[in-house]
């Protein structure tokens, strides 16, 4: 896989996607232990997973448009949380 | 540098501060220890304060005490014309009691009782040379009590102002000390002041003796050895060294009791001291409305905190 | 881009609250340098105590404003209590979510393990279930000889049994699961002759980050500092000549150490005690695990509350206002190579003349000085090499930000 530096975001923008990334991971690991028996929490979890996934995708689309990032049909973007750098991964 | 030596003449010597005397069993200091303590104070240039029990000392003790300049701290029940500082424990005494006038009077009281005895405090302010109120339950002071204590200090401030307008300015530790101070003026235990107990050993202050007799910092044979003595100095107290509640007792015994460190005051001690500081500020401003007063002393600045710890940690 | 590998920065360093569950005071090992003087197999945390602690902490969100949290599990050996830990972590996840707690978006579960039962089914199931939130460090001290010098199985028999073989077999699995995993090495007096070979051995196992520190206790003998310096210089030669510095990090060598510290600008405390919170099997809260009874040789524990009554904030005030100058003796304040000289608040307290955290222990003074001398040697040698190879300017231009490591 090739990795190419294509841009950079601000620390505030980085914090936004980092929080969403962490939340998505948290929800995924919560989903492994929460069952439908706990109806109220389970429904909240499912709704939250959908909402977080949407926000996650929207962030990438918004930033890609804002910064005019290069893209590939079968590639994906990646962020380095330490440096705020954005990379394009091509298979 | 040490300047004062407190000598507890008996285990039942009166308390003049936050600590309680937790024994009723009399034990006079050994006469030789008393002589040795006085000798040491003379050699080291320390001013002695003798603290008395509520009974008369034997003549030979009085003879020894008379050999040195000193101050006497006595309970009301044993006070005489010569008593310098008289202690009142609680409120079961009468304002017409003999010897109140022109004395330094120390009242030990709970906050609750203090708030309920404002009238007696007002009378004392008009009679005594100086009034020191020692609140004995500082550790139980809650944030909910801030308003009520603040109001009480305000009322006492009005009383002091009234007396000033009528020609006398009483000395009242909670309100007038801060008005005239230019730097910290704390208790000084372990720094400027040391205590010789009836067992012939030295302690940071009487409270340390009554809390634990094993907690001594030297004796009359080997001298005074205070390990980590720097911790009793203002420069080594991170919360206090930049604080301007200069009237605060900064009680190192309460510090240790509440925070486990002699150099760190509790939230309660800080808040009380700041309420007193702010009430002093208001009093100073009000007195100055009547004309020039301590013109060389600057106003006490307005501040927006009650606990300087918050400034360090925010 | 950077020709020199730096130690990785601690996750959310300075932004995370560290909350430690002392789940057991038991361990399979009886390491000779272990500061835990009161280890035993009786004091195991119950689920009820753990739950009370969690309920208290999550129920007082405003008292814990830190952006992130590291839920840490220590022992003894924490993985001896993997079932309890699994239950605690599940409960934490559910409750953080239920409360809508801000930590749900930023948490880690952290472990420092001896690695002996790392491969066990229960530990592996736990890792799989929580992988994205885990930080696990396995302690391995170096070569077989060095490791087994100290890290021996407990027992009263006359023959000491080392634990190296039982730990090293789990290193590949651990590195596969946590490729950036670092190890923590502790040095006491008898370990000094093995330092160089041990670090190189750890590199050879595929561990790219080796964090080492000397024990803070007063265990050092005359001449240890010179031996230590010689070992570090040998290590410096090996790292530079072998070009390990490109892909491997060793905490011995750091550009920030060995400089004078400004009394005003650099007056912060080194240690994070008080900013952390530890809870033990009795439900008592401590400013750090080092203040629990089982960690202390001479002093009473400093208990700052419990899971039922909460935290006594007055007891935290000395910790939160502690600064470098107030606790340091004159020789430390005036020391011209003070930077990087660490201290442990718990050891300071334990070794102090009175019951105070405000007396800095200086038992490692000579060892720090030796480290600084070797560190100077390392950087002088490395810079010269980079200069000759035309890489120095590139390094200077891309110099990464350095962060103090808080223990």
């Amino acid at each position: 896989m090739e990795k190419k530096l294509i841009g950079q975001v601000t620390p505030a923008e980085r914090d936004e996607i980092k929080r969403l990334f962490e939340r998505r991971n948290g929800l995924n690991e919560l989903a492994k232990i929460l069952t439908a028996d706990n109806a109220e929490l389970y429904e909240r979890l499912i709704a939250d997973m959908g909402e977080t996934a949407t926000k996650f995708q929207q962030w990438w689309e918004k930033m890609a448009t804002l910064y005019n990032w290069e893209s590939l049909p079968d590639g994906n973007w990646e962020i380095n949380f330490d440096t705020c750098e954005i990379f394009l991964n091509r298979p | 540098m040490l300047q004062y030596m407190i000598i507890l003449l008996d285990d039942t010597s009166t308390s003049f501060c936050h600590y309680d005397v937790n024994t009723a069993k009399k034990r006079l200091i050994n006469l030789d220890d008393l002589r040795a303590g006085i000798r040491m104070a003379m050699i080291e240039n320390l001013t002695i304060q003798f603290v008395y029990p509520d009974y008369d000392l034997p003549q030979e003790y009085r003879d020894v005490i008379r050999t040195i300049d000193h101050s006497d701290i006595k309970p009301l029940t044993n006070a005489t014309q010569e008593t310098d500082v008289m202690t009142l424990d609680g409120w079961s005494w009468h304002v017409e009691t003999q010897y109140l006038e022109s004395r330094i009077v120390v009242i030990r009281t709970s906050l609750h009782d203090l708030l309920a005895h404002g009238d007696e405090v007002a009378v004392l302010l008009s009679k005594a040379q100086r009034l020191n109120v020692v609140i004995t339950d500082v550790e139980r002071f809650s944030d909910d009590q801030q308003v009520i204590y603040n109001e009480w200090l305000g009322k006492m401030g009005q009383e002091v102002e009234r007396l000033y307008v009528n020609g006398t300015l009483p000395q009242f530790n909670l309100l007038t000390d801060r008005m005239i101070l230019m730097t910290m003026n704390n208790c000084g235990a372990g720094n400027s002041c040391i205590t010789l107990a009836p067992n012939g050993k030295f302690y940071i202050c009487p409270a340390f003796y009554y809390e634990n007799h094993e907690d001594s910092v030297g004796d009359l044979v080997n001298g005074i050895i205070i390990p980590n003595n720097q911790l009793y100095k203002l420069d080594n107290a991170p919360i206090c060294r930049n604080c301007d509640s200069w009237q605060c007792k900064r009680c190192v015994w309460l510090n240790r009791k509440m925070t486990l460190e002699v150099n760190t005051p509790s939230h309660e001690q800080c808040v009380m001291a700041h309420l007193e500081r702010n009430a002093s500020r208001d009093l100073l401003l009000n007195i100055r409305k009547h004309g020039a007063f301590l013109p060389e002393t600057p106003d006490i600045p307005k501040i927006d905190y009650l606990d300087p710890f918050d400034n360090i940690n925010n | 881009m950077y020709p020199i590998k730096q130690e990785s920065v601690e996750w959310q360093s300075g932004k995370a609250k560290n909350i430690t569950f002392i789940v057991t005071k038991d361990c399979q090992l009886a390491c000779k340098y272990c500061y835990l003087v009161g280890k035993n197999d009786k004091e195991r945390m119950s689920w009820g105590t753990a739950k009370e602690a969690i309920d208290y902490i999550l129920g007082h969100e405003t008292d814990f404003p830190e952006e992130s949290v590291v839920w840490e599990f220590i022992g003894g050996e924490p993985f001896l209590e993997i079932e309890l830990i699994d239950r605690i972590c599940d409960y934490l996840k559910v409750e953080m979510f239920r409360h809508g707690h801000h930590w749900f978006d930023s948490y880690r579960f952290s472990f420092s393990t001896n690695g002996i039962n790392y491969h066990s089914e229960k530990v592996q199931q736990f890792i799989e279930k929580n992988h994205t939130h885990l930080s696990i460090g396995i302690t391995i001290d170096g070569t077989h000889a060095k490791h087994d010098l100290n890290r021996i199985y407990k027992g009263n028999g006359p023959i000491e049994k080392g634990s190296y073989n039982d730990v090293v077999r789990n290193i590949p699995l651990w590195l596969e699961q946590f490729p950036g995993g670092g190890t923590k090495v502790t040095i006491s007096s008898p370990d000094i002759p093995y330092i160089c070979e041990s670090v190189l051995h750890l590199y050879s196992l595929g561990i790219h980050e080796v964090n080492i520190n000397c024990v803070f206790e007063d265990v050092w003998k005359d001449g240890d500092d010179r031996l230590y310096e010689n070992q570090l210089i040998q290590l410096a030669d090996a790292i530079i000549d072998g070009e390990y510095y490109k892909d491997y990090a060793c905490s011995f060598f750091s550009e920030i150490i060995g400089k004078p510290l400004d009394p005003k600008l650099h007056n912060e405390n080194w240690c994070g005690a008080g900013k952390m919170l530890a809870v033990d099997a009795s439900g008592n809260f401590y400013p750090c695990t080092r203040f629990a009874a089982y960690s202390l040789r001479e002093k009473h524990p400093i208990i700052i509350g419990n899971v039922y009554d909460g935290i006594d904030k007055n007891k935290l005030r000395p910790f939160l206002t502690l600064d470098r100058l107030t606790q340091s003796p004159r020789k430390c304040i005036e020391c011209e190579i003070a930077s990087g000289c660490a201290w442990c608040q718990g050891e300071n307290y334990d070794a102090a003349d009175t019951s105070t955290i405000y007396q800095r222990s200086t038992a490692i003074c000579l060892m720090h000085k030796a480290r600084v001398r070797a560190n100077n040697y390392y950087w002088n040698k490395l810079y010269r090499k980079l200069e000759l190879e035309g890489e120095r300017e590139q390094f200077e231009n891309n110099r990464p930000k350095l962060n103090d490591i808080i223990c």
Side-chain angles (χ1 to χ4, degrees), chain C residues 58-293:
Chain C
L58 295 183
H60 290 77
E61 189 171 353
T62 51
D63 287 343
F64 299 94
E66 290 84 355
E67 184 180 318
S68 309
V69 64
V70 177
W71 303 101
E72 188 177 23
F73 300 87
I74 70 155
E77 165 52 34
F79 282 149
L80 287 177
E81 295 293 337
I82 186 62
E83 287 169 43
L84 172 68
I85 288 168
D86 187 40
R87 193 170 178 190
I88 290 173
C89 291
D90 282 357
Y91 186 69
L92 278 169
K93 286 181 282 188
V94 171
E95 290 303 302
M96 284 192 293
F97 182 68
R98 186 202 304 279
H99 281 78
H101 198 290
H102 70 283
W103 282 345
F104 184 78
D105 290 339
S106 196
Y107 70 91
R108 290 290 182 273
F109 299 131
S110 174
F111 300 84
S112 188
T113 172
N114 62 29
I116 290 172
N117 64 354
Y118 184 83
H119 63 289
S120 70
E121 193 181 340
K122 283 177 182 165
V123 172
Q124 286 302 307
Q125 280 171 354
F126 174 81
I127 289 171
E128 208 231 320
K129 193 160 89 173
N130 298 286
H131 189 263
T132 64
H133 287 93
L134 290 184
S135 162
I136 300 180
I138 291 184
T139 302
I140 179 164
D141 268 4
T143 60
H144 200 147
K146 155 69 171 95
H147 184 94
D148 283 355
L149 193 68
N150 279 309
R151 300 186 68 81
I152 55 171
Y153 279 93
K154 72 176 176 186
N156 298 321
I159 300 167
E160 291 179 349
K161 187 189 169 205
S163 59
Y164 177 84
N165 288 332
D166 295 329
V167 179
V168 79
R169 67 176 175 176
N170 284 327
I171 297 296
L173 174 62
W174 170 57
L175 288 176
E176 185 190 319
Q177 292 169 330
F178 301 98
T183 193
K184 207 167 75 176
V185 178
T186 306
I187 304 289
S188 64
S189 181
D191 308 311
I192 296 172
Y194 304 95
I195 290 174
C196 178
E197 64 180 55
S198 289
V199 174
L200 296 176
H201 179 71
L202 294 171
Y203 287 172
S204 76
L205 292 176
I207 299 170
H208 284 243
E209 186 167 321
V210 178
N211 297 302
I212 313 189
N213 65 277
C214 291
V215 297
F216 291 104
E217 288 79 0
D218 189 8
V219 297
W220 308 106
K221 301 191 185 90
D222 282 351
D224 275 355
D225 56 326
R226 286 290 161 191
L227 284 174
Y228 183 55
E229 179 184 332
N230 290 340
Q231 275 293 311
L232 296 196
I233 285 176
Q234 270 185 48
L235 178 62
D237 285 337
I239 288 176
I240 294 168
D241 296 344
E243 298 198 336
Y244 287 109
Y245 58 86
K246 292 181 175 172
D247 297 313
Y248 296 83
C250 175
S251 63
F252 274 136
F253 305 117
S254 162
E255 282 187 286
I256 61 165
I257 76 161
K259 312 284 191 298
L261 289 174
D262 184 274
K264 288 204 172 107
L265 298 175
H266 300 116
N267 193 24
E268 62 276 10
N269 194 14
W270 178 279
C271 173
K275 293 175 182 160
M276 305 183 274
L277 181 70
V279 57
D280 72 359
S282 308
N284 287 326
F285 286 132
Y286 304 90
C288 155
T289 59
R290 193 62 174 73
F291 290 90

Side-chain angles (χ1 to χ4, degrees), chain B residues 152-198:
Chain B
W152 186 88
L153 288 167
K155 278 184 199 158
M156 290 302 113
Q158 287 169 9
E159 184 59 25
V160 172
E161 184 186 347
R162 189 185 65 76
L163 290 166
Y164 173 73
V165 170
N166 289 337
T168 55
L169 180 66
Q171 288 186 43
F172 182 22
N173 67 326
L174 301 182
L175 286 173
T176 63
D177 284 5
R178 177 59 184 84
M179 293 197 311
I180 57 171
L181 286 168
M182 301 293 274
T183 58
M184 271 288 185
N185 183 35
N186 316 126
C187 144
N191 182 29
S192 60
C193 186
I194 198 77
T195 292
L196 177 62

